[in-house]
């Protein structure tokens, strides 16, 4: 089969995006090129087609809507002055649409298609997807339909086009039999299933045969065509960009999420050796810490909906046995952590007639949560905990209709019956709810709910995600004191403060692809304070109203006063904050966290004597004594230093203030004071490194980062900074060590894998670098920088075609990627393809207009094309900006000699 060139508007760019994100495999022997809003009269489209024809490729053209490019008419009345083909104008403006312009565009479009057919004959195949989609929608709406039922548009009709280009055109009208499954939106963009249909239509030259193959044997055809496992099935783009798969019997499934949940389901995304080692280390450290504090520790994994209801997926594909959720469960069992994964119990409940997940939601409902609760309680009882049980007979269940988190994203929204249960004769009461999830900034982290049940004996803390909502009514009845914290990592400070009998960590299965950020976890109170600091004034005022309301409801809970203190701190009401923290301490004497924040409020209010007295209680606990101030109050910090010059805290604060203000000499002086006063503070050394780096003192910067890493081997920011500094200093060995250390802390970071690859490449380890870039792409198939670096490796290995393919992929993902454009253009120049090289560089300069290297390359291209005056203009302009550019001078001398001789 000859090579193919599939070209068209956004239909093709979306197809490319599906491939680049790993949702559809690449098509062997087929190059895809698309551009959103691509006009049929685009000179670029014409030149690309001509170039591919010269390369002996067959053209598969998805003909753009004739109106694409109508913006051309802002400056022209017709095509008489420009000819059929024009540079630019790849957009559509509805306010420019008129019948007369439609006629001009249509007639010019027909001329262009006639030109292609006459010039290329059977080497070009046409599909009119845009026209067919619009005509089908018009027919459904009764537009342009006569009394006798015949459709007749005043200008363009699909059947007329079919007759005109019958030898080159593939009739795709059969796709309208299942139009909703073959399109994803009102613009008629093709679904994944439609992309398979288009492939078969072009390949077979027959739309009817393609439809039969795609619809009747869709899953088998995909396996045979693309690989050994089915693809993710067609999804609908919803109101906020989230993609949803429509399954059987009204069930909706999440698609295209950042965790790539369906790729996990199908086994296309799983943990690599580095990730498995990091997860095992995390689980062992958790278990060891809990054992040292005499606390029972269990983990609960909520099954993904697509695992419980895989039979409702369009392809009914069962979950892979190597998916990350099972890898995590197996690791937990291996290191001796009791793990509850109630998948079989969920499936048994379904067989017994209970719907455990709503059709329009990703979460389990009350019935599913109760199955998970029962499995959890069984394990806790086996661990010797005398928990109070809720039985099925204690539940009062209702079955209202609700939209759910997927249903409310659809257009229009969809609803489904749910199960909602409450506990009859409930004994538990809610003591506190900070309601922080309804606030802004850090999403889904920091909410705390505290329940009390006098009839129970055991105390517990549960860290988890949104699956807690349906389970809390049961859990609250089972524990004398239950604290739920919405976060994936652990708040060890809270555990020490509360001393619970058991700690429960819950996570939905798909989230387990990423390691919880425990190496840099901050106390929940600090998460809340960060959220508050990022709010607008209006949002903070609303939070204050909410905190005051909680104070009136939960009268005796010290947490209420503590939360109020945090809100008051964020609004600058320091005296009131001091009083709120004091009330929290009065109700819970010895509460260290409340005392620290009271010290911060004293410092912010200028009461330095009292603040120092509070900080002195913790001098052996934390070198910098108190939480970091959110304010940038230089005068306050200077006053604190005047009162207590040997107190590290205000010096550290000033170091931050002056770093942000770029007063680097002052910043260094104060930060040096900090590391002298608190030499064991990794945070202090890291900030000193930042200040030295901002001064361009790379060697001194490295010393500071090394000290921070030595003091705290789990300090991710310090390892990353040391790695980047080492690359800057061309110390590839240290950079490699630093990035490897960082990846032990966060092994799922594609950017870190890419940086490690760069470090390995610079040290000469090309194979190791290639593995790093491959891992980055595996973790994020849309990470353009990794493709570019992989291309560099191919280039170094002499695999130029593979390098060019990698650069093309990076550029298709991110058209603004300067490296991809530059490297691809260099390759094209080496292949003497100056036309496409010019196109790539010109487009790159639209995003990077001042890039000297790209402009020098463009001047070289012009020189090869004998367009010497254009090249000379570029070089003269470069030399006005960079007078000592040797390359520009040499090129200009060469061109000047050529011009003199001509």
């Amino acid at each position: 089969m000859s090579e193919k060139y599939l070209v068209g508007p956004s239909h093709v760019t979306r197809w490319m995006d599906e491939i680049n994100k790993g949702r559809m495999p690449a098509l062997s022997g087929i190059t895809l090129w698309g551009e959103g809003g691509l006009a049929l009269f685009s000179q670029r489209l014409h030149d690309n087609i001509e170039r591919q024809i010269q390369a002996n490729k067959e053209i598969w053209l998805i003909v753009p809507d004739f109106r694409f490019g109508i913006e051309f008419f802002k400056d022209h009345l017709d095509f008489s002055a420009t000819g059929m083909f024009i540079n630019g104008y790849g957009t559509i403006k509805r306010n420019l649409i008129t019948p007369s312009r439609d006629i001009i565009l249509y007639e010019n479009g027909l001329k262009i298609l006639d030109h292609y057919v006459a010039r290329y004959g059977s080497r070009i195949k046409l599909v009119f997807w845009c026209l067919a989609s619009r005509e089908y929608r018009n027919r459904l709406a009764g537009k342009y339909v006569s009394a006798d039922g015949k459709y007749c548009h005043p200008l363009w009709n699909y059947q007329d086009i079919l007759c005109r280009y019958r030898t080159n055109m593939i009739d795709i009208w059969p796709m309208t039999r299942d139009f909703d499954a073959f399109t994803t939106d009102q613009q008629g963009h093709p679904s994944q299933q439609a992309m398979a249909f288009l492939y078969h239509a072009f390949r077979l030259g027959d739309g009817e045969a393609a439809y039969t193959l795609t619809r009747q044997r869709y899953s088998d055809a995909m396996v045979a065509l693309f690989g050994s496992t089915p693809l993710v099935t067609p999804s609908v783009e919803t109101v906020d960009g989230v993609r949803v798969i429509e399954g059987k019997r009204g069930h909706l499934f999440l698609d295209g999420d950042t965790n790539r949940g369906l790729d996990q389901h199908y086994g296309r995304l799983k943990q690599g050796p580095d990730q498995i080692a990091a997860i095992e280390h995390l689980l062992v450290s958790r278990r060891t810490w809990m054992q040292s504090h005499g606390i029972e520790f269990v983990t609960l994994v909520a099954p993904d909906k697509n695992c419980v209801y895989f039979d409702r997926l369009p392809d009914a594909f069962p979950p892979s046995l190597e998916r990350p959720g099972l890898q995590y469960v197996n690791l937990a069992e291996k290191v001796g952590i009791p793990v509850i994964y109630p998948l079989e119990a969920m499936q048994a409940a379904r067989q017994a007639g209970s719907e455990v997940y709503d059709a329009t939601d990703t979460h389990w409902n009350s019935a599913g949560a109760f199955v998970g609760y029962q499995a959890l309680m069984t394990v806790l009882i086996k661990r010797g905990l005398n928990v109070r049980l809720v039985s099925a007979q204690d539940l009062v269940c209702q079955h209202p209709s609700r939209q759910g988190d997927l249903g409310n994203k659809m257009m229009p929204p969809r609803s489904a019956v749910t199960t909602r249960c409450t506990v009859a004769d409930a004994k538990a009461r809610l003591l506190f709810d900070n309601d922080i999830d309804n606030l802004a900034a850090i999403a889904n982290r920091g909410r705390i709910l505290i329940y009390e049940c006098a009839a129970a004996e055991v105390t517990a803390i549960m860290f988890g995600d949104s699956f807690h909502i349906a389970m809390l009514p049961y859990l609250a009845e089972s524990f004398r004191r239950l604290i739920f914290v919405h976060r994936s990592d652990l708040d060890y400070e809270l555990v020490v403060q509360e001393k619970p009998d058991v700690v429960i960590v819950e996570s939905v299965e798909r989230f387990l692809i990423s390691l919880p950020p425990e190496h840099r976890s901050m106390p929940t109170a600090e998460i809340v304070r960060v959220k508050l600091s990022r709010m607008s004034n209006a949002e903070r005022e609303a939070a204050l109203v909410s905190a005051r309301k909680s104070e009136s409801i939960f009268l005796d809970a010290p947490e209420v006063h503590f939360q109020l203190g945090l809100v008051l701190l964020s609004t600058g009401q320091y005296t009131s904050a001091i009083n709120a923290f004091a009330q929290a301490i009065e109700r819970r004497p010895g509460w260290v966290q409340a005392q620290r924040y009271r010290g911060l409020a004293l410092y912010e209010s200028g009461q330095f004597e009292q603040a120092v007295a509070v900080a002195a209680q913790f001098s052996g606990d934390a070198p910098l004594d108190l939480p970091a101030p959110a304010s940038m109050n230089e005068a306050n910090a200077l006053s604190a230093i005047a009162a207590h010059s040997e107190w590290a805290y205000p010096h550290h604060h000033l170091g931050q203030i002056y770093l942000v203000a770029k007063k680097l000499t002052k910043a260094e002086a104060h930060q040096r004071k900090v590391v002298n006063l608190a030499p064991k503070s990794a945070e202090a050394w890291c900030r000193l490194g930042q200040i030295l780096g901002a001064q361009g003192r790379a060697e001194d910067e490295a010393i500071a980062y090394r000290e921070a890493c030595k003091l705290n081997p789990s300090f991710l920011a310090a390892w990353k900074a040391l790695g980047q500094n080492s690359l800057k200093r061309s110390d590839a060995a240290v950079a490699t060590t630093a990035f490897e250390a960082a990846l032990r802390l966060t092994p799922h970071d594609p950017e870190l894998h890419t940086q490690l690859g760069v470090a390995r490449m610079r040290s000469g380890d090309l194979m190791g670098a290639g593995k790093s870039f491959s891992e980055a792409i595996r973790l994020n198939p849309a990470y353009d920088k990794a493709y570019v670096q992989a291309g560099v490796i191919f280039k170094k290995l002499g695999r130029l075609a593979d390098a060019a393919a990698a650069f093309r992929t990076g550029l298709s993902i991110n058209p603004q990627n300067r490296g991809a454009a530059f490297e691809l253009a260099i390759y094209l120049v080496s292949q003497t393809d100056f036309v496409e090289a010019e196109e790539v560089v010109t487009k790159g300069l639209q995003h990077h207009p001042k890039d000297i290297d790209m402009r020098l390359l463009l001047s070289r291209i012009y020189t090869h094309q004998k367009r010497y005056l254009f090249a000379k203009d570029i070089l003269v302009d470069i030399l006005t900006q960079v007078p000592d550019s040797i390359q520009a001078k040499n090129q200009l001398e060469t061109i000047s000699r050529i011009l003199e001789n001509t």
Side-chain angles (χ1 to χ4, degrees), residues 467-493:
F467 276 66
H468 75 276
I469 295 172
M471 187 180 268
L472 280 181
Y474 318 132
L475 293 173
E477 297 294 321
S478 298
F479 299 102
R480 177 166 51 84
R481 180 175 171 86
L482 170 69
I483 300 177
F484 172 81
V485 188
H486 197 165
R487 59 188 296 171
S488 59
D489 53 343
L490 272 61
D491 182 346
Y492 289 97
E493 187 175 298

Coordinates of all heavy atoms in Angstrom, one line a residue, residues 467-493:
F467 N -15.3 10.1 47.8 CA -16.1 8.9 48.1 C -16.6 8.8 49.5 O -17.4 8.0 49.9 CB -15.4 7.6 47.7 CG -15.5 7.3 46.2 CD1 -14.9 8.1 45.3 CD2 -16.1 6.1 45.8 CE1 -15.0 7.8 43.9 CE2 -16.2 5.8 44.5 CZ -15.7 6.7 43.5
H468 N -16.0 9.7 50.4 CA -16.4 9.7 51.8 C -17.8 10.2 52.0 O -18.4 9.8 53.0 CB -15.5 10.7 52.6 CG -15.8 12.1 52.4 ND1 -15.3 12.9 51.3 CD2 -16.6 13.0 53.1 CE1 -15.8 14.1 51.3 NE2 -16.5 14.2 52.4
I469 N -18.3 11.0 51.1 CA -19.6 11.6 51.3 C -20.7 10.6 51.6 O -21.5 10.8 52.6 CB -20.0 12.5 50.1 CG1 -19.0 13.6 49.9 CG2 -21.4 13.1 50.3 CD1 -19.2 14.4 48.7
A470 N -20.8 9.6 50.8 CA -21.9 8.6 51.0 C -21.6 7.7 52.2 O -22.6 7.0 52.7 CB -22.2 7.8 49.8
M471 N -20.4 7.6 52.6 CA -20.0 6.6 53.7 C -20.1 7.2 55.1 O -20.2 6.5 56.1 CB -18.6 6.1 53.4 CG -18.2 4.9 54.3 SD -16.5 4.3 54.0 CE -16.9 3.1 52.8
L472 N -19.9 8.5 55.2 CA -19.8 9.1 56.5 C -21.0 8.9 57.5 O -20.8 8.7 58.7 CB -19.6 10.7 56.4 CG -18.2 11.1 56.1 CD1 -18.1 12.6 56.0 CD2 -17.2 10.6 57.1
P473 N -22.3 8.8 57.0 CA -23.4 8.5 57.9 C -23.2 7.2 58.7 O -23.6 7.1 59.8 CB -24.6 8.5 57.0 CG -24.2 9.4 55.9 CD -22.8 9.1 55.6
Y474 N -22.6 6.2 58.0 CA -22.4 4.9 58.7 C -21.1 5.0 59.6 O -21.2 4.5 60.7 CB -22.2 3.8 57.6 CG -23.1 3.9 56.4 CD1 -22.6 3.8 55.1 CD2 -24.5 4.1 56.6 CE1 -23.5 3.9 54.0 CE2 -25.3 4.1 55.5 CZ -24.8 4.0 54.2 OH -25.6 4.1 53.1
L475 N -20.1 5.6 59.1 CA -18.8 5.6 59.9 C -19.0 6.5 61.1 O -18.5 6.1 62.2 CB -17.7 6.3 59.0 CG -17.2 5.5 57.8 CD1 -16.2 6.3 57.0 CD2 -16.5 4.2 58.3
A476 N -19.8 7.5 61.0 CA -20.0 8.4 62.2 C -20.7 7.6 63.4 O -20.4 7.9 64.5 CB -20.9 9.6 61.8
E477 N -21.5 6.6 63.0 CA -22.2 5.8 64.1 C -21.2 4.8 64.7 O -21.5 4.2 65.8 CB -23.4 5.1 63.5 CG -24.4 6.0 62.9 CD -25.1 6.8 64.0 OE1 -25.4 6.2 65.1 OE2 -25.4 8.0 63.8
S478 N -20.1 4.5 64.1 CA -19.2 3.4 64.5 C -18.1 3.8 65.4 O -17.4 3.0 66.0 CB -18.7 2.7 63.2 OG -19.7 2.2 62.4
F479 N -17.8 5.2 65.5 CA -16.7 5.6 66.3 C -17.1 6.7 67.3 O -17.9 7.5 67.0 CB -15.6 6.2 65.3 CG -15.1 5.2 64.3 CD1 -15.5 5.2 63.0 CD2 -14.1 4.3 64.7 CE1 -15.1 4.3 62.1 CE2 -13.7 3.4 63.8 CZ -14.1 3.4 62.5
R480 N -16.5 6.6 68.5 CA -16.7 7.6 69.5 C -16.4 9.0 69.0 O -17.0 10.0 69.3 CB -16.0 7.2 70.8 CG -16.2 8.2 71.9 CD -15.7 7.7 73.2 NE -14.4 7.1 73.2 CZ -13.2 7.8 73.3 NH1 -13.3 9.2 73.4 NH2 -12.1 7.2 73.2
R481 N -15.2 9.1 68.3 CA -14.8 10.3 67.7 C -14.2 10.0 66.3 O -13.3 9.1 66.2 CB -13.7 11.1 68.5 CG -13.3 12.4 67.9 CD -12.3 13.1 68.9 NE -11.6 14.2 68.4 CZ -12.1 15.5 68.3 NH1 -13.3 15.7 68.9 NH2 -11.4 16.5 67.8
L482 N -14.8 10.6 65.3 CA -14.3 10.3 63.9 C -14.0 11.7 63.3 O -14.8 12.6 63.3 CB -15.4 9.7 63.1 CG -15.1 9.6 61.6 CD1 -14.0 8.6 61.3 CD2 -16.4 9.2 60.8
I483 N -12.7 11.8 62.8 CA -12.3 12.9 62.0 C -12.1 12.5 60.6 O -11.3 11.6 60.3 CB -11.0 13.5 62.6 CG1 -11.2 13.9 64.1 CG2 -10.6 14.7 61.8 CD1 -10.0 14.5 64.8
F484 N -12.8 13.2 59.7 CA -12.5 12.9 58.3 C -11.8 14.2 57.7 O -12.1 15.3 58.0 CB -13.8 12.8 57.5 CG -13.5 12.7 56.0 CD1 -13.0 11.6 55.4 CD2 -13.6 13.9 55.2 CE1 -12.7 11.5 54.0 CE2 -13.3 13.9 53.9 CZ -12.8 12.7 53.3
V485 N -10.7 13.9 57.0 CA -9.9 14.9 56.3 C -9.8 14.7 54.8 O -9.4 13.6 54.4 CB -8.4 15.0 56.9 CG1 -7.7 16.2 56.4 CG2 -8.5 15.0 58.4
H486 N -10.2 15.6 54.1 CA -10.2 15.5 52.6 C -8.8 15.8 52.1 O -8.4 16.9 51.8 CB -11.2 16.4 52.0 CG -11.6 16.1 50.6 ND1 -12.7 16.6 49.9 CD2 -11.0 15.2 49.7 CE1 -12.7 16.1 48.7 NE2 -11.7 15.3 48.5
R487 N -8.0 14.7 51.9 CA -6.7 14.8 51.3 C -6.1 13.4 51.0 O -6.6 12.5 51.7 CB -5.7 15.6 52.2 CG -5.5 15.0 53.6 CD -4.7 15.8 54.6 NE -3.4 16.0 54.1 CZ -2.5 16.9 54.7 NH1 -2.9 17.7 55.7 NH2 -1.3 17.0 54.2
S488 N -5.2 13.3 50.1 CA -4.7 12.0 49.7 C -3.5 11.6 50.5 O -3.2 10.4 50.7 CB -4.3 12.0 48.2 OG -3.3 12.9 48.0
D489 N -2.8 12.5 51.1 CA -1.6 12.2 51.9 C -2.1 12.3 53.4 O -3.2 12.6 53.7 CB -0.5 13.2 51.6 CG -0.9 14.6 51.7 OD1 -2.1 14.9 51.7 OD2 -0.1 15.5 51.8
L490 N -1.1 12.0 54.3 CA -1.4 12.0 55.7 C -1.0 13.3 56.4 O 0.1 13.8 56.1 CB -0.8 10.8 56.4 CG -1.6 9.5 56.4 CD1 -1.8 9.0 55.0 CD2 -0.8 8.4 57.1
D491 N -1.8 13.7 57.4 CA -1.4 14.8 58.3 C -0.9 14.2 59.6 O -1.7 13.9 60.5 CB -2.6 15.7 58.5 CG -2.3 16.9 59.4 OD1 -1.2 17.0 60.0 OD2 -3.2 17.8 59.4
Y492 N 0.4 14.0 59.6 CA 1.0 13.3 60.8 C 0.8 14.1 62.1 O 0.7 13.6 63.2 CB 2.4 12.9 60.5 CG 2.6 11.8 59.5 CD1 2.9 12.1 58.2 CD2 2.5 10.5 59.9 CE1 3.0 11.1 57.3 CE2 2.6 9.4 59.0 CZ 2.9 9.7 57.7 OH 3.0 8.7 56.7
E493 N 0.9 15.4 61.9 CA 0.7 16.3 63.0 C -0.6 16.1 63.7 O -0.8 16.1 64.9 CB 1.0 17.8 62.6 CG 1.0 18.8 63.7 CD 1.3 20.2 63.2 OE1 2.4 20.4 62.7 OE2 0.5 21.1 63.4

